[in-house]
Amino acid sequence: MKLIAGNSNLTLSKAIAKRLGANLTDAEIRRFSDSEVFVEIQENVRGEDVFVVQSTSSPANDHLMELLIIIDALSRASASRITAVMPYFGYARQDRKAGPRTPISAKLVANLITTAGADRVLTLDLHAGQIQGFFDIPTDNLFAVKDIKEHILSAFHQDKESLCVVSPDVGGVVRARALANRLGGVPLAIVDKRRPRAGVSEVMNIIGEVEGLNCVLFDDIIDSGGTLCNAAEALMEQGAKSVCAYVTHGVLSGDAVERIEQTAALRRLIVTDSIEATAAFKASPKTEQLSVAALLGEAIRRIAHEESVSSLFD
Ligand code: R5P
């Protein structure tokens, strides 16, 4: 088995390699002066089962192009099986025609990855599970919920009875309910969110009882931070005791970290390391990263040994 890292998240790639007791395969990824990506795999991969770790996080297009070109290089070097390990699958929010004459970019990205030569995809908390159907190759979608549950239980061990899981929008209810169930059936509340235009969100209502409870917002993506900051303020206005947020993918674009720091209602933000943390994130006293290296490493090991991946979540 070989493990190759793109440039998007070297910290996570190294942590996965460590869990697997493997070394990252030597590969040179550099840019021509006009910014074209060039890749040279510097070890023999003929007949190998190769896993390429690359999140298509910001700069999304550069990281996507890197992934495609690494896959192409591996395919032309006769790797026997290529798995695109995408801890964060960018473009996932463009999973349907949002209006007339708009693209379904998540499907296009799936086509590109398949055409480049990937034999399978391993990803984490896809924005919508149906995106697996955009691929005509096997796709394993992992869930961070188990690791998040453990973190919540250690953070709230003395106050578990007062927990409430909150979905920040209607689309996240299934995910939030899964977390509430894993926490032993704690109450679930839902934020009725409206998005008048891209990048702007408004809270219309809170569905469920949150008064006096420690609310745990759970989302797949935090981008501008608007959804979670607005939800935290609305929950505090409804009498919540405290609000913290757990999110799988910390996209955190623009001044999102600053916005979180300035939102007093949101006590804490915990994101996984599916996306490399920025300096602002690391410096913030309100934020924390939770590693999914063990989860991804174990899934890679199971795929390499043809073992069940779904049983990871039993
Ligand atoms: C939307 O459906 C996603 O699950 C997230 O809620 C959204 O991407 C968060 O975006 P922002 O942080 O910009 O409000």
Side-chain angles (χ1 to χ4, degrees), residues 1-4 22-23 25 41-52 71 73-84 117-120 303-304 306:
M1 186 233 278
K2 297 264 184 195
L3 198 61
I4 295 188
N23 290 320
T25 296
I41 314 292
Q42 289 168 328
E43 290 176 31
N44 179 26
V45 292
R46 192 175 291 273
E48 296 279 2
D49 189 10
V50 188
F51 294 83
V52 187
I71 293 171
L74 290 168
S75 157
R76 291 174 196 283
S78 306
S80 71
R81 184 171 70 168
I82 303 165
T83 303
D119 296 295
R120 53 187 309 134
I303 291 169
E306 308 289 357

Side-chain angles (χ1 to χ4, degrees), residues 86-157:
M86 303 176 71
Y88 171 61
F89 181 85
Y91 280 101
R93 287 173 287 180
Q94 297 185 49
D95 59 353
R96 63 197 175 285
K97 274 192 81 164
R101 297 171 297 283
T102 57
I104 305 181
S105 307
K107 170 63 178 153
L108 173 63
V109 170
N111 286 349
L112 290 170
I113 291 166
T114 311
T115 303
D119 296 295
R120 53 187 309 134
V121 169
L122 173 63
T123 186
L124 175 71
D125 279 338
L126 269 178
H127 179 58
Q130 309 88 281
I131 293 171
Q132 286 173 94
F134 290 178
F135 289 93
D136 284 329
I137 51 176
T139 308
D140 290 299
N141 181 29
L142 305 177
F143 306 103
V145 68
K146 221 169 161 181
D147 301 80
I148 287 174
K149 177 198 104 175
E150 295 304 330
H151 193 285
I152 294 172
L153 287 181
S154 68
F156 288 94
H157 61 283

Side-chain angles (χ1 to χ4, degrees), residues 155-232:
F156 288 94
H157 61 283
Q158 282 159 344
D159 227 354
K160 200 190 141 202
E161 301 314 310
S162 65
L163 280 175
C164 171
V165 175
V166 184
S167 173
D169 53 32
V170 175
V173 173
V174 172
R175 194 179 298 116
R177 187 175 289 123
L179 177 61
N181 289 342
R182 279 188 183 261
L183 287 166
V186 303
L188 177 72
I190 301 160
V191 177
D192 173 17
K193 174 180 99 174
R194 193 173 75 108
R195 219 182 247 296
R197 58 184 186 280
V200 178
S201 67
E202 284 170 11
V203 173
M204 307 303 287
N205 290 295
I206 306 281
I207 304 163
E209 190 50 63
V210 297
E211 196 173 342
L213 298 178
N214 289 308
C215 293
V216 173
L217 282 159
F218 183 34
D219 209 351
D220 62 327
I221 296 171
I222 176 165
D223 189 347
S224 67
T227 297
L228 291 183
C229 291
N230 292 344

Side-chain angles (χ1 to χ4, degrees), residues 247-290:
V247 182
T248 307
H249 308 296
V251 173
L252 294 165
S253 56
D255 59 0
V257 173
E258 204 180 319
R259 185 174 194 169
I260 285 144
E261 281 175 354
Q262 287 168 0
T263 304
L266 184 62
R267 195 179 274 188
R268 212 156 170 70
L269 168 71
I270 295 100
V271 301
T272 80
D273 54 357
S274 68
I275 295 175
E276 184 100 60
T278 59
F281 182 93
K282 287 180 195 158
S284 171
K286 243 186 179 180
T287 58
E288 186 182 335
Q289 224 180 21
L290 175 63

